[in-house]
Amino acid sequence: MAVAILLFWYLYKDINFSEMLERFRHVDLRWVYLSIFLAIFSHFLRAVRWNMLLEPMGFQLKASRTFLAVMVGYLANFIVPRMGEISRCGILQKTDEVPISKGIGSVVTERIIDVLCLLTVVIFTLALEFDRISQFFYSLVAEKTEGIGNNYISLIAIFSFLFLVIVFLFFFLRRNHERFQKNLLYNKIVVFLRQMVEGITSIRHLKSPTRFWITTLFIWILYYLMTYVVIFSLEETESLSVVAGFTMLVLGGLGMAAPVQGGIGAFHYLMSAGLLLYGVPEDDGIFFAFLLHTTNSLAIMVIGIISFFISMIIPKRQAKTDYVNS
């Protein structure tokens, strides 16, 4: 929270908020509403895709109920970063009796896929806009990290130590497995980890891999469109190219992935700095980032709160089926 507040303050400390609010009167809200609709649709497709990962483990869920869990998860991310991944699994356990351990495993798989997709978009964008993007990241990272090369030795030492600890624990537990089997807590942890691994590896047993990857593709197309269409709501940005939209998608994605509540501060900073690369004045870029982030965040909060209360009152159902991995 402190990092989010600091980033937000640094970016907006010289901004007159009364003037910024006045600028909302000149925003073409039709494009903003379209962006919100596209975002919500992408969240629904995410729920559909999550069901595909849960299906090989024998769970037949309705997309509407999974959608409630996804939206509560996004809401939870505004409280504690990455808390949403755990929260949505907890909601699904309450509404459909899906074990949290299996839910978390499937979410881990989801996140790995999304990271790979983001890296693919980054590479594609670099191929289109190498000069702009490379200069941006150089000014953002390289210039600020000169002279700290010695710290790499410390990082290598830390990771080496952690690796040795993990290896030691692995062989220690393996050697004393029979003795620990009598411990109830140990058995619960083992079952939890096995179920989590089952969730992670569920992608190998998809009923329809083609449908899964097409859904993933559409999710990222919607991510692009929900970001790009907002440029038409402002005169200062309406001339930006389709290629600029990919840069905005990359920087916005990195901002939302930062370990701060809902990407607050990080999203605004990266998005406004990226727009500078395309000649958008800093004040206009800051307002654009505020407009895009605020409107979509408010929509997530409203739908997330409604989803939370619905998930508390809907009757629990047993989603387990006799579906067996082929």
Side-chain angles (χ1 to χ4, degrees):
M1 180 63 78
V3 173
I5 292 174
L6 181 63
L7 286 171
F8 193 84
W9 170 83
Y10 174 78
L11 195 61
Y12 289 91
K13 65 181 187 300
D14 298 322
I15 299 297
N16 187 320
F17 273 91
S18 60
E19 293 181 1
M20 179 178 284
L21 293 175
E22 178 65 23
R23 292 188 66 172
F24 272 97
R25 296 178 57 185
H26 305 288
V27 174
D28 189 343
L29 292 176
R30 293 175 299 175
W31 296 105
V32 176
Y33 295 145
L34 177 59
S35 173
I36 293 173
F37 170 78
L38 293 171
I40 294 171
F41 189 36
S42 73
H43 303 329
F44 179 77
L45 287 185
R46 180 173 288 278
V48 172
R49 188 181 68 172
W50 192 17
N51 283 349
M52 297 181 201
L53 289 173
L54 293 169
E55 188 177 21
M57 292 181 281
F59 297 101
Q60 200 76 27
L61 296 106
K62 292 183 178 180
S64 57
R65 296 170 77 97
T66 315
F67 176 73
L68 296 177
V70 169
M71 295 312 299
V72 172
Y74 281 124
L75 177 66
N77 282 334
F78 285 99
I79 303 172
V80 177
R82 306 275 70 85
M83 178 181 173
E85 277 73 1
I86 307 297
S87 299
R88 62 168 162 147
C89 295
I91 292 293
L92 211 57
Q93 183 186 50
K94 182 194 178 301
T95 60
D96 292 82
E97 298 185 352
V98 177
I100 288 182
S101 52
K102 293 188 178 184
I104 291 175
S106 61
V107 169
V108 169
T109 298
E110 258 202 328
R111 287 308 176 196
I112 293 173
I113 291 170
D114 286 335
V115 168
L116 293 175
C117 288
L118 180 58
L119 287 175
T120 301
V121 175
V122 169
I123 294 171
F124 177 72
T125 307
L126 277 172
L128 295 175
E129 295 280 65
F130 180 79
D131 292 337
R132 280 195 175 104
I133 301 298
S134 59
Q135 181 58 39
F136 171 79
F137 281 108
Y138 177 78
S139 61
L140 184 66
V141 179
E143 293 179 350
K144 296 177 176 58
T145 57
E146 291 178 356
I148 62 171
N150 292 333
N151 288 341
Y152 288 118
I153 299 176
S154 300
L155 289 173
I156 292 173
I158 292 172
F159 282 111
S160 298
F161 174 75
L162 292 175
F163 175 75
L164 290 174
V165 169
I166 293 172
V167 171
F168 170 78
L169 288 174
F170 173 78
F171 284 104
F172 176 77
L173 292 174
R174 186 177 180 181
R175 187 173 182 179
N176 298 275
H177 177 67
E178 292 184 3
R179 189 173 68 180
F180 280 114
Q181 275 186 318
K182 301 176 183 178
N183 186 288
L184 181 62
L185 177 61
Y186 174 78
N187 289 328
K188 286 185 176 181
I189 292 174
V190 170
V191 171
F192 183 89
L193 292 176
R194 284 176 178 170
Q195 290 180 339
M196 184 183 293
V197 170
E198 184 182 354
I200 294 172
T201 58
S202 62
I203 192 171
R204 297 186 305 170
H205 307 289
L206 290 172
K207 191 174 181 180
S208 178
T210 302
R211 183 165 164 253
F212 178 87
W213 291 112
I214 289 176
T215 303
T216 299
L217 175 63
F218 272 99
I219 288 172
W220 281 87
I221 289 174
L222 288 170
Y223 283 168
Y224 172 83
L225 292 175
M226 63 176 274
T227 303
Y228 184 67
V229 297
V230 179
I231 73 167
F232 300 111
S233 66
L234 299 173
E235 292 183 3
E236 297 83 359
T237 58
E238 63 181 1
S239 61
L240 289 174
S241 66
V242 172
V243 175
F246 284 102
T247 303
M248 293 158 61
L249 174 62
V250 168
L251 297 179
L254 294 175
M256 295 304 293
V260 293
Q261 284 81 350
I264 297 173
F267 177 90
H268 300 79
Y269 177 75
L270 289 174
M271 184 64 72
S272 59
L275 288 173
L276 279 173
L277 299 174
Y278 294 92
V280 177
E282 184 176 13
D283 287 350
D284 295 331
I286 290 174
F287 177 74
F288 176 88
F290 185 83
L291 172 66
L292 177 58
H293 186 273
T294 301
T295 52
N296 277 278
S297 295
L298 287 174
I300 287 174
M301 289 179 183
V302 171
I303 298 174
I305 291 172
I306 294 172
S307 298
F308 175 77
F309 284 110
I310 292 176
S311 64
M312 293 298 106
I313 62 176
I314 59 174
K316 181 181 290 188
R317 64 184 292 270
Q318 175 57 262
K320 190 74 175 176
T321 68
D322 295 326
Y323 178 77
V324 179
N325 297 339
S326 58

